Amino acid sequence: MLSASELESGYGRARVLFGVSVDVGPGQLVCVMGRNGVGKTTLLNTIMGVLPATSGTVTFDGRDVTRLPTHERARLGMGYVPQGHQCFPQLSVLGNLLVTMEAARTGKESVDSALDLFPGLKPLLKRRAGHLSGGQQQQLAIARVLVTRPRLLILDEPTEGIQPSIILEIEEAIERLHASGLAVLLVEQYLDIAVRLADRFVILDAGQVVRTGDAEDLHGEDVHRLLAV
């Protein structure tokens, strides 16, 4: 489904990624891990076209999308939830979902199914998104992307800075989406969540892939060493 091959990217003259390759097969959940500042967000931004790749390719469903703008990749079915609980703060929860529905030209059922994953948002539909807690805003950010009916969901540390009860709800939602057959590329800071959710993992260090494997390999001492702060 997704193949990012030998990607190099960065900011201005500062190169961050050095030949990074990541593959996500149909229905797979692949977790990208690593210490802070190793290039995880840069990788996702490059895959989505937020940052241009200076070298390497990104293909989605066999189509080379390396030079496509972000919105074209989204139209093809790549749904991205970046860091930062992104939403329209002046709109209500329902307004955020309906605006996304209209832009993506999906139906009301897409809003209903997104809310079914996050039932805690249902009593808050009339509340301005800017008045939600950080965890509620993160749930809304994920729900907004799900309204677009993506075929690949890309999540950048969705549990960062979130209260424990909502971390559990977000984890359960990701698990349900994965079980439904949706492919997921997940950057996750918590090893225990990665162990529970991932089919495969990739560990970055200093902008390079230093370890890959199946979920059962996440228990290895080398993995703990690479993730230790």
Side-chain angles (χ1 to χ4, degrees):
M1 173 166 278
L2 174 76
S3 179
S5 178
E6 296 295 323
L7 286 183
E8 298 191 1
S9 181
Y11 305 87
R13 295 182 179 180
R15 189 157 51 131
V16 177
L17 300 182
F18 299 84
V20 173
S21 297
V22 176
D23 294 314
V24 183
Q28 279 191 332
L29 193 154
V30 177
C31 189
V32 178
M33 308 184 74
R35 300 182 184 96
N36 289 336
V38 299
K40 303 184 299 294
T41 294
T42 301
L43 172 62
L44 298 193
N45 283 340
T46 305
I47 287 172
M48 279 303 301
V50 178
L51 283 174
T54 56
S55 182
T57 59
V58 179
T59 60
F60 183 65
D61 272 355
R63 176 176 177 177
D64 189 339
V65 299
T66 312
R67 303 304 168 198
L68 286 184
T70 301
H71 68 275
E72 290 289 347
R73 302 186 200 205
R75 287 177 182 170
L76 291 174
M78 299 171 67
Y80 184 28
V81 183
Q83 286 179 314
H85 319 156
Q86 301 208 1
C87 59
F88 299 114
Q90 297 304 316
L91 292 180
S92 68
V93 170
L94 182 59
N96 270 268
L97 298 174
L98 293 178
V99 164
T100 305
M101 180 194 76
E102 292 170 3
R105 298 179 181 179
T106 55
K108 181 65 165 54
E109 67 279 1
S110 67
V111 172
D112 294 337
S113 61
L115 287 172
D116 285 342
L117 277 174
F118 299 110
L121 292 177
K122 291 182 179 180
L124 307 173
L125 291 178
K126 295 182 179 180
R127 184 175 298 183
R128 283 189 180 184
H131 295 167
L132 299 177
S133 70
Q136 291 165 342
Q137 288 185 19
Q138 183 67 289
Q139 290 177 313
L140 177 58
I142 298 171
R144 284 184 57 220
V145 169
L146 293 175
V147 166
T148 70
R149 299 288 196 191
R151 291 181 295 123
L152 169 67
L153 179 62
I154 301 175
L155 300 166
D156 191 358
E157 297 203 23
T159 61
E160 182 183 25
I162 304 299
Q163 55 266 47
S165 60
I166 292 187
I167 287 177
L168 180 59
E169 292 175 13
I170 289 173
E171 180 184 347
E172 289 174 348
I174 295 171
E175 187 173 26
R176 286 177 59 186
L177 291 166
H178 179 215
S180 74
L182 182 65
V184 181
L185 179 60
L186 169 68
V187 167
E188 179 49 60
Q189 59 181 325
Y190 294 119
L191 179 59
D192 54 344
I193 292 178
V195 168
R196 289 193 293 267
L197 293 180
D199 296 314
R200 295 178 49 252
F201 70 92
V202 174
I203 296 178
L204 299 184
D205 191 28
Q208 296 179 300
V209 175
V210 293
R211 185 78 160 82
T212 64
D214 297 326
E216 55 266 25
D217 300 324
L218 282 167
H219 299 285
E221 290 185 7
D222 59 331
V223 169
H224 287 263
R225 185 175 63 254
L226 287 166
L227 298 178
V229 177

